[in-house]
Amino acid sequence: MLQPFMHILNAQRIVLASGSPRRKLILENIGLNIEVMPSTFEENLDKAKYTPPDYVVQTAMFKTQEVAERLSQSGMVPDLIIGADTVVSQGNEIFEKPRDKKDAVRILSQLSNCSHTVYTGVVLYVPSTSLLMSKGSTALNGAYRCTSFVESTSVHMAHLSQDVINAYIETGESMDKAGAYGIQAIGGTLVEKINGDYFNVMGFPLARFAKEIASLYEGVTN
Amino acid sequence: MLQPFMHILNAQRIVLASGSPRRKLILENIGLNIEVMPSTFEENLDKAKYTPPDYVVQTAMFKTQEVAERLSQSGMVPDLIIGADTVVSQGNEIFEKPRDKKDAVRILSQLSNCSHTVYTGVVLYVPSTSLLMSKGSTALNGAYRCTSFVESTSVHMAHLSQDVINAYIETGESMDKAGAYGIQAIGGTLVEKINGDYFNVMGFPLARFAKEIASLYEGVTN
């Protein structure tokens, strides 16, 4: 979807406000040149106060804002800042990265043989002087305007025996990932099926992002 | 799912009877050591005579058989041979790799804004002397026993304008892929959602493969 705008996008300075190597990979795989600037926001919102989709958008918003302010203070406002946050949720429970191996066992045991939902909130910041988002976005105090969206994907896990859970955790894939699994490598053998965008499960909803970006740039270039 | 058996699998000689770099990548990503030996079978079965799931299993069977016979003649029968074939189907029509750019335009125009199904047939050959598949598989003349399965994933494509289709084909991703798109890179921006196994759309149904292999090895090791 982004190919017709790629020459414009790649003439711009685009900052990814996330340290996730998977988000970087997804965006680079479609040919985008991005700069990575991980946020220092602590991700400590009270989960009891939010639904999962509200939680990821709010966390992505704080992450992006922190990076945007840092860039603004340095006098280097880029053309686009992309922030994102991903959680795994089952019922009302939100799972982030496991605290330790024991926590990873708890999470994977709970996800075994059931469906769960992966939510990713994405926040886009552009300079307030940009032609992008001149309509329908939120003007922020200062240098930026922003827009956001959330994407959900349903994931059905296979039945995981304790042997499989323990052996999987020993591969080292669990610890830095929401829900204690990564779908893109060994964890892919644990997932029976998904309903939605695969890349959203990896941490970034690619198709929806492409659609949103295309509609922003269409508005400017047409 | 395969972790508890990985030490056994990686002590064996496993041959992938396919030249697809994506199938190789998927299997290597889960830690399997495999040897690649592309089949020379011409993939020329009469599509009118098969349903799409029968077509992929039958084609995968001929591909695997060709490689198995070659290995058998050389006196080097491996522990496991994996063959696969993938097609994209809409209604009764089967799409394979596009013949040329014009054909890629035709296929992508037809897939635009609709759902289609990706079928992958997988065939597993083991030596007839193997303890694997001693029950429930088909004994072949000569050196092997075999089993097979087919997995389907539904894919919903976004609306693709002619500009987007032309720009996508210019990226070069279309030509060596069934259905004229690859979901794992730029083509991921064209796919709104899938229902099923993502890796099946890439060309190899990872979760089902892991389950089948685990059940074969459980039968032997327990």
Side-chain angles (χ1 to χ4, degrees), chain A residues 25-222:
Chain A
L25 184 70
I26 291 168
L27 290 169
E28 286 178 346
N29 264 350
I30 63 164
L32 274 184
N33 296 328
I34 47 161
E35 237 172 276
V36 170
M37 191 172 288
S39 170
T40 60
F41 175 69
E42 213 182 322
E43 307 190 30
N44 56 1
L45 299 183
D46 182 356
K47 292 187 191 64
K49 290 190 180 159
Y50 297 91
T51 63
D54 288 344
Y55 179 85
V56 285
V57 169
Q58 201 56 58
T59 301
M61 190 66 84
F62 281 121
K63 285 179 175 177
T64 317
Q65 193 174 320
E66 186 277 321
V67 170
E69 279 170 10
R70 217 172 343 137
L71 285 160
S72 191
Q73 280 160 16
S74 72
M76 302 273 281
V77 173
D79 298 292
L80 177 66
I81 308 175
I82 305 165
D85 188 58
T86 302
V87 297
V88 161
S89 144
Q90 202 175 49
N92 288 323
E93 195 165 359
I94 291 176
F95 301 104
E96 291 184 297
K97 295 166 189 168
R99 284 184 302 276
D100 49 32
K101 284 187 182 179
K102 201 177 147 195
D103 197 35
V105 171
R106 177 189 67 89
I107 295 172
L108 289 171
S109 303
Q110 207 163 323
L111 300 183
S112 167
N113 212 18
C114 290
S115 290
H116 62 267
T117 307
V118 178
Y119 292 94
T120 301
V122 175
V123 170
L124 306 173
Y125 269 48
V126 297
S128 53
T129 53
S130 171
L131 291 174
L132 300 175
M133 297 191 207
S134 50
K135 281 186 282 190
S137 67
T138 309
L140 302 170
N141 288 336
Y144 298 97
R145 298 183 69 83
C146 85
T147 189
S148 67
F149 59 89
V150 62
E151 185 78 17
S152 67
T153 302
S154 165
V155 177
H156 190 88
M157 238 357 145
H159 168 74
L160 312 178
S161 67
Q162 282 304 308
D163 274 2
V164 166
I165 290 176
N166 292 334
Y168 179 64
I169 291 168
E170 285 310 311
T171 66
E173 271 191 15
S174 288
M175 298 316 289
D176 65 333
K177 297 183 185 76
Y181 73 96
I183 195 171
Q184 66 280 358
I186 300 167
T189 65
L190 313 177
V191 170
E192 263 182 16
K193 65 177 215 159
I194 71 166
N195 192 346
D197 183 346
Y198 165 82
F199 295 99
N200 192 41
V201 185
M202 260 182 85
F204 198 77
L206 183 58
R208 177 73 182 276
F209 170 76
K211 198 172 175 178
E212 299 281 339
I213 291 287
S215 80
L216 291 180
Y217 282 79
E218 261 164 12
V220 176
T221 55
N222 282 346

Side-chain angles (χ1 to χ4, degrees), chain A residues 1-4 29-31 151 158-161 163-164 167-168 171 173 183-199 206-207 210-211, chain B residues 1-4 29-31 151 158-161 163-164 167-168 171 173 183-199 206-207 210-211:
Chain A
M1 302 288 280
L2 286 182
Q3 289 320 112
N29 264 350
I30 63 164
E151 185 78 17
H159 168 74
L160 312 178
S161 67
D163 274 2
V164 166
Y168 179 64
T171 66
E173 271 191 15
I183 195 171
Q184 66 280 358
I186 300 167
T189 65
L190 313 177
V191 170
E192 263 182 16
K193 65 177 215 159
I194 71 166
N195 192 346
D197 183 346
Y198 165 82
F199 295 99
L206 183 58
K211 198 172 175 178
Chain B
M1 301 290 278
L2 286 181
Q3 289 321 113
N29 265 349
I30 63 164
E151 184 78 17
H159 168 75
L160 311 178
S161 67
D163 275 0
V164 165
Y168 179 65
T171 66
E173 271 191 17
I183 196 171
Q184 67 280 358
I186 300 167
T189 65
L190 313 178
V191 170
E192 264 182 17
K193 64 176 216 162
I194 71 167
N195 193 346
D197 183 346
Y198 164 82
F199 295 100
L206 183 58
K211 199 172 172 176

